[in-house]
Amino acid sequence: MADQHESIDLTSPSVDPPPPSAAAGHSWFPRPPPPMYSCTLTPELVAKAREELQEKPEWRLRDEQPNLRTRLDDAFLLRFLRARKFDYDRALQLLLNYQAGRKAWPEVFQDLKPSTVKHVLDLGFLTVLPQPDPNGRYILCLRPGKWKPNDYPFVDNVRAIYLTLEKLIQPEETQVNGIVILADYTGVGMSQASNPGPFLAKKVVSILQDGFPIRIKAVNIINEPRIFKGIFAIIKPFLKEKMAERYVLHGSDLRSLHRNIPRSVLPEDYGGTAGQLDMHAWSRLLLDCEEEFIVEFCQPDPLEGVLLPDSMLFDGEQAGGQDDDTFRGLRSQLYYCY
């Protein structure tokens, strides 16, 4: 195990980063950082990261855990540091939760690649709007009413959402600005509302809150039916107070929606001026990135042979018990130096 004061070179990570992104052929979506990390943020976003995330340009990353086989390149680890505002203990816990999630939910993460969720994409369950909002946040548009329980298992929707989040978080702009969710509940009935159930709802919420390095800045719900109160009653107990406060219910009031998301970035379907809703551009982008997802998700389990306490799995940032011997055996440290 490395001495705490010994700098460790991360330019040769234990798990190679994925190949150059195929998204380079989709000019509307920003590219991820290059394999040998070099900051791609504009001066304005550098200032924003410094102010909001306490990020310093002099940071250094170190690792003291040889058993956790994960990517250790700077571009990857920065996602977790930024998601937790450079709080190193919380960033470490997030990284452990991220890897533990793959082990705990094989139905989602086994053979996870865009071609396996093409039916979800073709159905129009989700897309990403081509223009970010004025705060630089891309908008993930979900349409759960497009799915019917007889179509395919609900977990396929979770797989498609996870792949989308993985793609969204690659550009540094998203890591600093976060994302906005727009969920259109048109067509959602009792069959959809009752299908996931509390157990599955808890898993999904736990991944989004405590198991993935992305900052969800707002969740806008539109066209929610009366039964949405029942849906939200299932979800709310698992939401942290800060996240629950970011849910905004608009009903069918588009003017209310436009006070949160400007018309200039919304499609005509939602009273916007950005043309018709295109459900295919994001689908094509994901499918063109098949190879990078195969490298990222279709490899041996990164936690194979590593024992994790059950409390670490999906129980939030306090999971894992700081005094647990197994947890101490896994601890890594992320530092920045001045």
Side-chain angles (χ1 to χ4, degrees), residues 144 147 149 154 185 187-198 201 225 227-228 230-232 234-235:
W147 170 75
F154 181 81
Y185 272 75
V188 171
M190 283 300 299
S191 60
Q192 294 101 327
S194 60
N195 188 273
I227 60 170
F228 183 79
I231 300 173
F232 196 62
I234 295 174
I235 299 173

Side-chain angles (χ1 to χ4, degrees), residues 39-58:
C39 183
T40 60
L41 297 174
T42 64
E44 292 78 13
L45 282 178
V46 168
K48 183 175 183 179
R50 181 184 291 270
E51 179 180 352
E52 294 187 11
L53 309 181
Q54 290 75 56
E55 180 170 340
K56 305 290 186 181
E58 303 87 359

Side-chain angles (χ1 to χ4, degrees), residues 241-260:
E241 182 179 357
K242 189 174 183 179
M243 178 60 71
E245 292 173 352
R246 293 178 178 175
Y247 275 69
V248 183
L249 276 58
H250 303 285
S252 58
D253 186 353
L254 292 181
R255 287 179 298 180
S256 174
L257 175 64
H258 299 158
R259 286 194 289 271
N260 290 267

Side-chain angles (χ1 to χ4, degrees), residues 21-230:
S21 174
H26 299 265
S27 59
W28 65 274
F29 189 71
R31 298 183 183 188
M36 185 66 70
Y37 177 74
S38 175
C39 183
T40 60
L41 297 174
T42 64
E44 292 78 13
L45 282 178
V46 168
K48 183 175 183 179
R50 181 184 291 270
E51 179 180 352
E52 294 187 11
L53 309 181
Q54 290 75 56
E55 180 170 340
K56 305 290 186 181
E58 303 87 359
W59 61 265
R60 298 291 184 269
L61 299 179
R62 297 176 183 174
D63 182 82
E64 297 182 352
Q65 175 48 48
N67 295 324
L68 185 59
R69 298 207 313 271
T70 186
R71 283 175 58 185
L72 295 177
D73 56 287
D74 292 359
F76 179 74
L77 294 179
L78 256 178
R79 302 175 187 180
F80 298 88
L81 289 166
R82 285 170 172 156
R84 292 298 180 261
K85 298 185 177 181
F86 278 72
D87 181 318
Y88 292 91
D89 289 336
R90 294 176 66 224
L92 166 63
Q93 186 63 61
L94 180 61
L95 174 60
L96 292 173
N97 288 350
Y98 175 86
Q99 296 292 3
R102 299 192 189 188
K103 188 179 183 71
W105 206 355
E107 304 97 308
V108 170
F109 296 101
Q110 186 173 0
D111 196 32
L112 184 59
K113 54 189 177 183
S115 61
T116 63
V117 297
K118 187 176 182 297
H119 56 290
V120 181
L121 301 173
D122 290 344
L123 190 66
F125 179 83
L126 63 77
T127 191
V128 173
L129 302 187
Q131 297 182 53
D133 72 6
N135 295 311
R137 306 175 300 195
Y138 276 95
I139 300 166
L140 169 58
C141 181
L142 302 174
R143 301 196 297 171
K146 292 292 181 180
W147 170 75
K148 303 294 186 292
N150 292 333
D151 293 337
Y152 52 79
F154 181 81
V155 73
D156 288 3
N157 293 327
V158 180
R159 286 164 63 86
I161 292 172
Y162 199 93
L163 284 171
T164 291
L165 294 178
E166 283 284 351
K167 195 66 205 170
L168 279 171
I169 201 58
Q170 287 182 355
E172 293 192 280
E173 294 91 335
T174 301
Q175 296 168 25
V176 173
N177 294 325
I179 66 168
V180 170
I181 294 176
L182 171 60
D184 179 2
Y185 272 75
T186 299
V188 171
M190 283 300 299
S191 60
Q192 294 101 327
S194 60
N195 188 273
F199 179 72
L200 188 55
K202 180 182 179 182
K203 276 189 157 184
V204 173
V205 170
S206 296
I207 283 180
L208 294 178
Q209 286 190 142
D210 301 315
F212 196 87
I214 201 164
R215 304 171 69 212
I216 300 175
K217 305 298 290 183
V219 181
N220 293 272
I221 309 293
I222 62 171
N223 299 320
E224 66 272 19
R226 292 181 180 179
I227 60 170
F228 183 79
K229 289 184 177 180

Side-chain angles (χ1 to χ4, degrees), residues 283-303:
S283 175
R284 289 193 297 268
L285 188 151
L286 280 184
L287 291 169
D288 285 349
C289 296
E290 179 89 354
E291 181 181 350
E292 71 178 68
F293 282 110
I294 290 175
V295 171
E296 186 76 10
F297 289 102
C298 302
Q299 305 299 320
D301 181 1
L303 291 180

